[in-house]
Structure formats: C-alpha cells, structure tokens
Amino acid sequence: MGAFLARRFAQGIIVVALVATIVFLLIHAAPGDPFSASLENPAITESVRETWRREYGLHRPLPEQYARYVGNVFRGNLGFSFSLQRPVADVIGDALPNTMLLMSVGLIGAFALGIGTAVAQVRNRGRRVDRFLGSISLTLFSVPDFWLALLMLVAFAYWIPIFPIGGATDAVMHNMLGPAGKLGDRVKHLVLPAATLALLYFPLIARHQRAALLDVLPSGYINTARAKGVGETAVITRHALRNALLPVITLLGVAFPALLTGAVFIEKVFSWPGMGLVIVNSIQSRDYPLLMASVLMGSVFVIVGSVVADILYRAMDPRMRDEF
Amino acid sequence: MNSDIPLTRGFMAAASRRWLDNDRSAVFAGALLLAIAIPCLLAPLVAPYDPTAQPDIIGLQSRAPSLLHPLGTDPYSRDVLSRLIYGGRLSLLVALFATLVSVTLGTAYGAAAGYARGLTSSLLERVLDALLSIPRLLLLIAIFAAWRDIPVAGFVLILGATGWYGVARLVRGQVLALRNQDFIASATALGATRLRIFTRHILPNIVTPVVVAATLGIGHVIVLEAGLSWLGIGVRPPTASWGNMIQDGSDQMVSHWWISLFPGLAIVLTVMAFNVLGDALLKALSPMRPVIE
Amino acid sequence: MSEPLLSVENLRTWFHTPSGIAKSVDGVSFDIRAGETLGIVGESGCGKSVTALSLLRLIQPPGRIEAGSRIVFEGKDLVTVDEAGMRAVRGNRIAMIFQEPMSALNPVFTVGDQVAEVARVHGTGSRSDAWDRAVEMLAQTGIPSPGDRARQYPHQLSGGMRQRVLIAMALMMNPALIIADEPTTALDVTIQAQILELLADLKRRFGTAILMITHDLGVIAETAERVLVMYGGEIVEEAEVRTLFDDAHHPYTEGLMYAMPNITESRERLNVIPGTVPPPTAWPSGCRFRDRCRYSWERCEREHPPLYQIGVSHTSRCHLAEEPERRAHPHAPLVEQIGASL
C-alpha cells in the first residue's frame, strides 16, 4: 500500500508538472505576449505594459522564464490579475472553496440519485419503470451542461420563483441575517446549481451501478437470500448492493474531472463565485495571468481529487486491505 | 469486451440481424440521425435563408416562430431555422473530423504502446495515464483563449489531439491481449512481417471496440464544441454553431425562449441518437450477453 | 393414507428464450409425505434442480411456471399464491440448501448474521434473539465454538463448515420440508459422509421431510426412502429405494446403475450410457430416452410412454412394461466402453 501511495503521488506530481508546462508554453507561444490582450484596455498604457514585461522577466530567455515560473508557482505566487486588481492567488483562494462546496454536494447528489436509480431499475428490470428511468438517464446524459443549467434557472428561478437567480448568498440581505438565516440563505442558493450538477452526472453512475448489480444478481448467495424469504427489494439493497458498490466507487476518480467541467458552465449560469466563474470571466476579460493560473489550479485540484479517490477505493477493497 | 471475434461475413450478418431484432430503438436512433444529418449536410439546398443574412435588422429582431420563420429569429435578426441547419452541418462535421483525428492518433499510439516491450511499454503507459488525468475542457479553454483566431482546421485538429487518450488505452489493451495469442505466433512463423500481421490480423479485431468508442465519442465532441462556442472561444459568430446560438439567446431565455431552445434540443436529440447507436453497436457486436439483460 | 405434506401436480417450468422454449420440467407429479426423505436422481440437464427451484418459486424470467401446474402445500397452491404468501413459506415452512457452499453465502456479511437473517425475516423477536438462535442452530449442526464462528466471514470457514452453516440456516424456523440440492457434490468424500450423517440425525430429531436432489446414486442409497428418477424433464421411474436398486425397470435407471464406478469390481474402463442428453428446447418425439436405449423399437418413437404401474409403489415410463419380452432383444451395447488410453 505504501509503495502504491508513493507511486500514485509521484504520478500526480508528474501530471501537475505536465499541465504547468503546457500552460507555460501556451502563454508564451500564443500570438502576442500575455499582455498584448490588455491592448484593448485604454487605461493600461504602453509604459505600464513595459513595466510588467520587465517585472515578469519577459525579456529573459525562455528557460529562465520557465524556471522563474516554476519557482513562483511553488512559492504560491501566481501572478496578478489586472481585471480584478488582486493577486491571482487571493482570487483563487476565495473561489476554490466555493467550487469545492458545489462539487461535493453535486457529487453526493449524483451518487445518491445514480445508485437509487440503478436499484429501482434492477428491482423492476424488464418493466416499464426500468425503460422509463433508462430513457431519462439517457436524455440527461446527452444534454449539454450549460443548456440544462439555463433551463433549470428559467424554470425554478423565473417561472416558478422558488430559488434565487444566482450567487452563493444574497448580496443585500445576507449580512443582516442571524446564523440560522445565513445558513438557510446559503442552502437556498446552493440547491439549483448542485441539483443541476447531480442531474447531469447521475446517469453515468446509474449506468455503471446497474451493470454492476446485474453482474452480481446471478450469484449463489442471491438465490440463498430469496430462498430464506427475503423480499426482492431487500435482496437488491442489502445483499446485492453491498457487493456491487465497489466498482462504482472507482467512478469517483473519473467523476472529479467531469464535475469540474460541468462546474465551469454551471457556475457561469448561476453566477456561483467559484473557479469556473473565475475562468469564464477571465476569458471574457482577457485576463491571461488569471486564466492560466486558474486552469493550472483547477487541474491540480482535479488531479489531487482523483488521486485521493483512488487511494480511498484501494483502502475500501477488502482484498487490498489485507495487504496493509 | 470480447474482441477475438472474427469479423467474417457470417458474423456480421448475424450481428445485424440481432441488432435489428432486439433493438428497435437503435433503428429509430439511426433513422433520427439520418433525418438530422442529411438536411444539415445539404444545408445550402435545404435552408430557407442565408444563415448570416440580416434583411430587416429592426423589423425581424427576435421574432417569435411564425410561418415565414418557423423557428423564429434571433437577436441579430437572422432566421433561426437556417442557422440551425447550417450550424448543424458545422457541428457535425467538426465532431466527425475531430473524432477521426482522435481515433487515428489513438490507434497509432495504442498500437505502438501495445507492441512495445519492457521500459518503453511502461513509459508509454505512464504517459498515457498522465495525459488521461488532464481535464480536457480546461486545457481546451486555455488553448483557445490564448489562440483567438484559429482556423476551423486548427480547431478540429486541437479538439482531436486532446481526445485520443481513451482510444489509445483501448487499443493498447486489445493489442496486448491479442499479441500473445497463437494465431499471431503461427503467422509470424509463416514469415509474415509485423506490419502485415498488424493490418491483417490485429486491426480487424480492434475495429469493433474502436468503432463503438468513436460513435459514443462523436456525441461527446458535439457537446464539447457547443460548450466552447457558448463560452465564446469555439466557433465565432456570425458563423452559426449550435453552441453559439444558445449563447445568443441565453440572456433572453424567459422572453425569447426559441432562440436557445431549438439549438439545445438539436444537440440533445443528436447526441442521444449517437449514444443509442453506440450502445446498440456494443450489444450487437458482443454476442456473449446473458439471456436475462 | 394421510394427506401428503407436499403434492406436485403436472409441474411444467419452461424457459422462453430467443432461441426457443426450453421445457426443462415438463409434466412432473409427485407427493412428499411428512417426515419422509424423497430422492430425485438424474444427470445434469434432466430438470431436477429446476424442479427444486420451482417448488419455492425461485425461477427467474425468462423461465416461468406454466399454467396448469399445481404445487399444494399446507392447503395452498404455491403456484398461484401471492408474493407475500410465498415469502412466508420460503425459509420458514420450506427451506432450501444449495449446491455450492462458497457461492451460496454472501462474502460481505458474517456467517451468524446470515443465519440470523432467517429469524429476522420471519420471526417477531429482537435482533439478539435471532442471533442467539442462530448460534444455537450452528451448534446443532456440530460446529465447534459456534459463538466465535458466527462472527466470522464465509471465506474464513472450510467447505464442510460452510455447508453446515447452510444447513443451520435451513433449520432456523423448523421447517416442515428441506430441499437439499446436491448438498454434498462440492465437498470431499469424507466430509460428504459427515454431512449426510448430520442430515439423517437432524431428520430424526426434528422430523423434517427432506427432498434430496443428487446425481449420485450412493447418496440416494444412503439417505432416501423413496426415489424419483428424472430424465428429459420428466419422471421416468418412481420406487422405494430398495426396489430401485434390486429391481430397476427403466433402461435409463439400469444404465445409471451399471455406470456407477464400483470400488470392489476390477474394471479397466468406465461404463457410460451412449449418447448425450438432448437439449430441452427439442425433446425427441415419443420416448425421450429412445436414442440412447438399447431396447427401443418403433413404438418408442411413435408413442410417448405414460407412467406404467410396475409394482405396489413402483412406476416406470417405459413401454417394456407392456412388452417385457423385448428386453431379451437388446440391439446396441448398453454402455459404451471408454478406452483406458483416454
């Protein structure tokens, strides 16, 4: 297990280094330099740009710039965002927890819905419920993230105004509320984006869980359970599920990058102040330092997440546990 | 995935029979796909208007669906239906070619990795694992935000160049599994070169899972391109793409719902069709399925 | 004669597959009396396991118990009773012991948990009551330190012990009938003997009826009072065990007897009934055994034999009952000799 941990960890670092290098190359290989985009901003004069260029060492040879870049990243200096007039590290520091919150709740929702759907499908296999749930699953799997988010927003924030239109908290009221009110406000704002995430990603989980359950059903102990008089629902939820859950947990590693992808679009639509919104806005404002650093950090986040998920899965598998 | 199935004529005939018998939804999906693809590909002949034409900028702005404009007009006074058709052509072709690029790159890499031995093999495998961990969308965002004015060809190439890892892993697995089998050894003993063995014996067995992966992959790329276009870094207006059409209508979803609704529906239907098709292909080409599904 | 405990009438269990209807059980009728041990013997594919599963309605689609079948137990027809009623019978009034002790137990639950589950499903007592009874039953089946064993997982137990666990599971609610499907096939010969001894002992103590399903005539000889021989989805012979061994009538039964390897006899080659079991999707017309039978004649192809009464409680599905002189004219060797060089 220790050897595996070390290997996985090393692998993670290599991937992060790879992404960082690609990002670096992109910044420098793109036509113009990182600051030419700010040409569109009249407030930034050419002399300001020159100062920046000197500060960022853009006159130095490329390998030296790369070394500085790596050094900076490790030291936590991710540059300065001129569109937000704050250090990038600060911006990310504020945004990342929000994305983590959204993604965690979304993940939990996706797994709960996915496993529940799979159980319902297997319990009623061959019947209309099975096919119906399968169709819903397939449809949601084929829907583009941003479009569903738009539909959810229109449906539940405009037509039936139950939920707020966007943001993580109410801009006006939040600070005037008591602790319970504050919590309620946060929850209210979290529901739609998290629900959208869950709806988008549960089909993947449902499909794998359904296959895993069907794989397990012909096993001898399932028949034993039925012969004991255990009801069919309990056979599936108690006997089959416990054995079919493990392969689905591996999906956690895959779900992470997928959910971040979804988060980018969902945060934009719901104005959720997370990494996704930062990235999208920085595209539009051509704030390259912010954009590139966000992409890098986003990737790091995802890679860390999938490594952790991998380790968790290994720890949970009883066969692996014995190797401890 | 049972891959050592010879793609003989008899097998294909049986597979198609199985497919048509068991999966009416697959046939329906295939028909739906043709119904969407054919008009799109024949866009200049089918579309009622020019997709970028703005004949009456004020009078035709954001008009609801009517007889003249069956799907309405967008905020730039262009006909939605025509844009939908032209946009479909673009989105489909982009997805198709990007997938082609991915499949080619992936097969090449996978075959090389599968054939390699020892250190090279594990190195190639590790590189693949590393590449698979990079979140594709973020990478694409970084690339397309940096290179603003990429020609369509470049766009397709880059899309394809970021999506081959899955195919590579698949192909590598198959090659590894097949390379140790007896029929390969006997072919080698009979004097066949490695290339000949690959093209005549291994390639036909790889085709199956790769075709399935490609079919499912096209849907994925359609959604990806739509997303990038929606963000403004994919297909640039005024060229129509389903993604940037949704962007045009995003701000007015409540009042002018048709501008974003129809392109969205188009995407859903098309991707669904590809997914159903891919699933059906998977089922038809793996005959060893349990009787109870 | 008192009412039988279980009465099966014309049981037909067919599997509706895309490649045809497999008539695995095709018109089987028998009774089991309270406290008796009935054996069903036959090759794999003859339908004996499917019969057992049908009794507890454990057949999954595409298999289905066809209309016209009746299974009468304690006043109810188990074929038509509702699911809740069926569940009340399973594990409670009729229990089943499966063939492979390893795969028959859930690897993620403790052994005690799984045995106690029977009581939790059917009883009204608390969890600890169920657990206590489980431990008690494990003791009854001869498992040493049952309290500790109960807390272990199936992979930590030996094959013989797992089988004992399954037997304990079956006995939990003191059922009237236990269906044992090849209970000793997956076990070593020495363990086999122990398990059979255990079953006999439990039967004596609790008075349970047992339906013993096996392909092993030795097991039949040791445990059964009456025997059914199955072939081609049907019963081809029914007799008391002594009668079957001394006086088998049906050519298939004869073949089975002759094919049994005998440790005292010195023989270089194995005796085998020639041919193979036909597929259940295409039973031959007339007598289903005729292609492998050395006495068959044209009547056997024309006319499907009913169960003829041979003796007091001895029936046989063979036209030889009406034309016994044909037995003097066999036309092919009864058994095919398999070369020793194989």
Side-chain angles (χ1 to χ4, degrees), chain A residues 47-89:
Chain A
S47 61
V48 175
R49 269 194 287 273
E50 265 308 305
T51 320
W52 278 349
R53 284 199 188 103
R54 249 198 310 271
E55 242 184 62
Y56 277 84
L58 286 180
H59 295 285
R60 307 291 177 83
L62 213 58
E64 192 185 324
Q65 288 192 50
Y66 184 61
R68 288 186 97 217
Y69 169 72
V70 170
N72 277 336
V73 169
F74 267 96
R75 254 178 298 142
N77 174 8
L78 295 167
F80 191 82
S81 154
F82 57 80
S83 67
L84 296 174
Q85 290 294 303
R86 296 171 67 202
V88 169

Side-chain angles (χ1 to χ4, degrees), chain B residues 3-288:
Chain B
S3 62
D4 36 325
I5 300 167
L7 290 182
T8 61
R9 220 174 305 146
F11 173 76
M12 291 308 280
S16 356
R17 241 183 293 123
R18 248 198 314 274
W19 184 25
L20 290 171
D21 290 337
N22 297 342
D23 244 312
R24 268 173 304 135
S25 56
V27 180
F28 185 64
L32 180 64
L33 215 49
L34 285 174
I36 294 176
I38 293 182
C40 285
L41 291 171
L42 297 174
L45 302 171
V46 176
Y49 302 91
D50 178 68
T52 54
Q54 298 169 290
D56 185 352
I57 295 190
I58 301 180
L60 278 181
Q61 191 186 42
S62 301
R63 290 255 154 260
S66 62
L67 276 173
L68 266 181
H69 297 274
L71 298 183
T73 60
D74 71 2
Y76 300 98
S77 314
R78 300 173 292 207
D79 176 46
V80 171
L81 178 60
S82 309
R83 286 179 70 75
L84 199 68
I85 297 177
Y86 272 90
R89 182 173 74 162
L90 187 63
S91 297
L92 281 172
L93 287 174
V94 166
L96 199 69
F97 283 107
T99 306
L100 228 71
V101 170
S102 294
V103 167
T104 313
L105 284 173
T107 308
Y109 188 96
Y115 261 114
R117 287 170 201 273
L119 203 62
T120 337
S121 172
S122 50
L123 184 69
L124 286 175
E125 185 194 352
R126 297 263 178 256
V127 169
L128 197 56
D129 277 345
L131 289 171
L132 272 164
S133 311
I134 304 177
R136 190 176 182 188
L137 181 72
L138 292 186
L139 190 62
L140 286 171
I141 286 180
I143 296 176
F144 292 130
W147 277 306
R148 292 264 161 176
D149 294 307
I150 279 192
V152 181
F155 185 65
V156 170
L157 267 170
I158 294 181
L159 264 180
T162 51
W164 56 265
Y165 325 130
V167 176
R169 192 193 253 178
L170 204 63
V171 170
R172 176 175 175 273
Q174 297 289 53
V175 170
L176 272 178
L178 289 170
R179 140 184 126 178
N180 294 324
Q181 295 207 2
D182 286 340
F183 70 93
I184 300 291
S186 59
T188 320
L190 286 171
T193 65
R194 262 206 278 189
L195 184 64
R196 184 179 169 79
I197 291 180
F198 180 74
T199 46
R200 287 211 67 202
H201 296 277
I202 298 193
L203 210 53
N205 282 307
I206 300 180
V207 168
T208 316
V210 168
V211 165
V212 173
T215 311
L216 294 171
I218 295 184
H220 202 73
V221 175
I222 292 179
V223 172
L224 202 59
E225 176 266 311
L228 289 168
S229 302
W230 184 77
L231 287 174
I233 50 179
V235 176
R236 306 300 165 100
T239 316
S241 136
W242 286 339
N244 64 25
M245 285 174 75
I246 297 180
Q247 170 57 250
D248 289 339
S250 286
D251 298 326
Q252 309 161 43
M253 289 235 15
V254 188
S255 48
H256 308 293
W257 46 270
W258 55 92
I259 307 171
S260 292
L261 184 73
F262 292 117
L265 278 177
I267 298 178
V268 175
L269 285 173
T270 312
V271 175
M272 243 173 47
F274 273 112
N275 284 337
V276 172
L277 223 66
D279 269 349
L281 272 170
L282 187 67
K283 263 197 267 184
L285 292 164
S286 342
M288 321 230 304

Side-chain angles (χ1 to χ4, degrees), chain C residues 149-170:
Chain C
R149 287 294 184 180
R151 275 186 279 270
Q152 289 188 314
Y153 290 88
H155 69 269
Q156 295 172 288
L157 272 62
S158 70
M161 241 184 280
R162 282 181 229 135
Q163 194 59 286
R164 288 173 197 268
V165 168
L166 286 177
I167 295 174
M169 210 186 277

Side-chain angles (χ1 to χ4, degrees), chain C residues 195-244:
Chain C
I195 296 293
L196 290 179
E197 175 61 51
L198 172 65
L199 280 173
D201 182 47
L202 293 170
K203 186 180 123 90
R204 270 193 298 273
R205 270 192 281 147
F206 297 107
T208 328
I210 298 182
L211 180 62
M212 174 72 73
I213 297 175
T214 178
H215 64 274
D216 189 340
L217 279 170
V219 171
I220 292 288
E222 228 185 280
T223 58
E225 288 148 26
R226 270 192 314 132
V227 186
L228 303 172
V229 181
M230 273 189 79
Y231 185 85
E234 305 175 300
I235 298 178
V236 297
E237 188 158 4
E238 179 176 346
E240 292 185 7
V241 68
R242 193 77 249 170
T243 319
L244 194 80

Side-chain angles (χ1 to χ4, degrees), chain C residues 249-259 270-275 289 291-296 327 330-337:
Chain C
H249 183 272
H250 197 281
Y252 176 62
T253 320
E254 260 184 38
L256 282 182
M257 302 281 180
Y258 198 41
L270 274 180
N271 296 321
V272 162
I273 307 175
F289 185 64
D291 293 328
R292 308 169 71 187
C293 177
R294 67 180 191 158
Y295 306 113
S296 58
R327 224 184 256 277
H331 46 71
L334 173 63
V335 295
E336 214 164 65
Q337 310 260 312

